[in-house]
Amino acid sequence: MITAEGVQKWFGQFHALRGVSLTVAQGEVVVIMGPSGSGKSTFIRTLNALEDFQQGQITIDSIPLNDNVRHIDQVRREVGMVFQQFNLFPHLTVLQNITLAPRWVRGWPQSKRDEIALQLLERVGILEQAQKYPGQLSGGQQQRVAIARALAMQPKILLFDEPTSALDPEMVREVLDVMRSLANSGITMVVVTHEVGFAKEVADRIVFMDQGQIVEIASPEEFFQNPQEDRTRQFLAQILS
């Protein structure tokens, strides 16, 4: 579903991605971990053209990501993204936030949009919040709305950019529970997170990044119990201590 080959990205003089290569199979759950500034979020944002890149190739479900606007639109139809900040429209209700993209991008009639949105709200456990505004919800509830919004386009791939880092600790679990359910449903997921328990339980593979490069790729068991690289061991010693 995802193929990245030798992806290079600069912000001015700063070399943010240094030849990143990764493939993700259909239905696979890949967790990306690494210290702050390692390029995790930059890389995941290149996968749906929220960030451009200067060298290398990215292919999403056989569609090459390049300057072709049609290709970018095709990819964004198939790739949903959940951000660290919820990015909900405060003046729209929960239901309106979820149905906005299906209305303008898919062109679905209101009856279909509303039916799918309500099903998704039930799936993420907040059906009763459909007519409320984001400001009336907790952070955990807002993030679950954001997940439902991403799912409303019926994407083939879901990207998560540190979806729990802006939440109070007691709200993290409700969001992770929804993500576990999605992972078990067979959708392809790439998740940037520091949630060790989630990574151990749900990931098929863990990618460790540092200084714009992939340092190590391993199964959760190998990654946490027998990391091969010194830099990986240093990182794990910090987050597991």
Side-chain angles (χ1 to χ4, degrees), residues 17 21 23-24 34 48 50 58 67 78 86 95 97 100 105 114 121 141 143 160 178 205 209 216 223 232 234 241:
L17 297 176
S21 296
T23 59
V24 180
N48 65 349
L50 287 177
I58 295 177
D67 293 335
E78 307 302 339
F86 321 123
L95 188 65
N97 266 282
L100 194 63
V105 180
D114 289 352
L121 285 172
Q141 289 172 328
Q143 193 61 293
F160 293 84
V178 172
R205 287 185 297 155
M209 291 186 67
E216 186 163 349
F223 183 81
T232 310
Q234 294 170 6
S241 58

Side-chain angles (χ1 to χ4, degrees), residues 109-127:
Q110 182 174 350
S111 58
K112 180 177 181 178
R113 298 195 306 265
D114 289 352
E115 179 183 2
I116 290 173
L118 293 172
Q119 289 173 354
L120 290 170
L121 285 172
E122 184 171 22
R123 183 175 180 181
V124 301
I126 49 172
L127 177 59

Side-chain angles (χ1 to χ4, degrees), residues 39-212:
K40 311 181 300 295
S41 293
T42 299
F43 175 61
I44 201 174
R45 289 168 67 89
T46 64
L47 299 181
N48 65 349
L50 287 177
E51 292 284 358
D52 61 1
F53 56 96
Q54 283 76 48
Q55 293 180 22
Q57 295 180 323
I58 295 177
T59 304
I60 306 293
D61 193 21
S62 302
I63 304 167
L65 257 185
N66 47 36
D67 293 335
N68 187 316
V69 175
R70 184 176 297 177
H71 286 179
I72 293 173
D73 287 344
Q74 285 179 297
V75 166
R76 287 180 174 167
R77 286 170 181 257
E78 307 302 339
V79 179
M81 185 149 187
V82 179
F83 300 89
Q84 182 175 345
Q85 303 295 336
F86 321 123
N87 292 348
L88 300 174
F89 290 107
H91 64 291
L92 300 180
T93 66
V94 165
L95 188 65
Q96 289 169 335
N97 266 282
I98 295 171
T99 57
L100 194 63
R103 174 187 178 185
W104 292 107
V105 180
R106 299 290 193 196
W108 292 340
Q110 182 174 350
S111 58
K112 180 177 181 178
R113 298 195 306 265
D114 289 352
E115 179 183 2
I116 290 173
L118 293 172
Q119 289 173 354
L120 290 170
L121 285 172
E122 184 171 22
R123 183 175 180 181
V124 301
I126 49 172
L127 177 59
E128 72 282 358
Q129 310 295 343
Q131 298 304 327
K132 290 186 179 179
Y133 290 88
Q136 298 174 285
L137 306 182
S138 71
Q141 289 172 328
Q142 289 187 61
Q143 193 61 293
R144 284 189 279 169
V145 173
I147 293 172
R149 178 182 58 184
L151 289 169
M153 289 287 288
Q154 299 183 342
K156 296 178 180 179
I157 300 167
L158 269 182
L159 308 176
F160 293 84
D161 187 6
E162 301 197 36
T164 60
S165 62
L167 300 177
D168 293 332
E170 65 268 21
M171 297 176 184
V172 169
R173 181 171 179 174
E174 63 188 63
V175 173
L176 291 179
D177 284 345
V178 172
M179 293 171 64
R180 287 187 183 96
S181 174
L182 291 174
N184 292 331
S185 74
I187 192 168
T188 305
M189 293 170 56
V190 181
V191 184
V192 173
T193 186
H194 290 302
E195 297 291 342
V196 172
F198 174 84
K200 287 181 177 179
E201 180 183 344
V202 175
D204 295 301
R205 287 185 297 155
I206 296 178
V207 175
F208 175 62
M209 291 186 67
D210 188 36
Q211 297 184 352

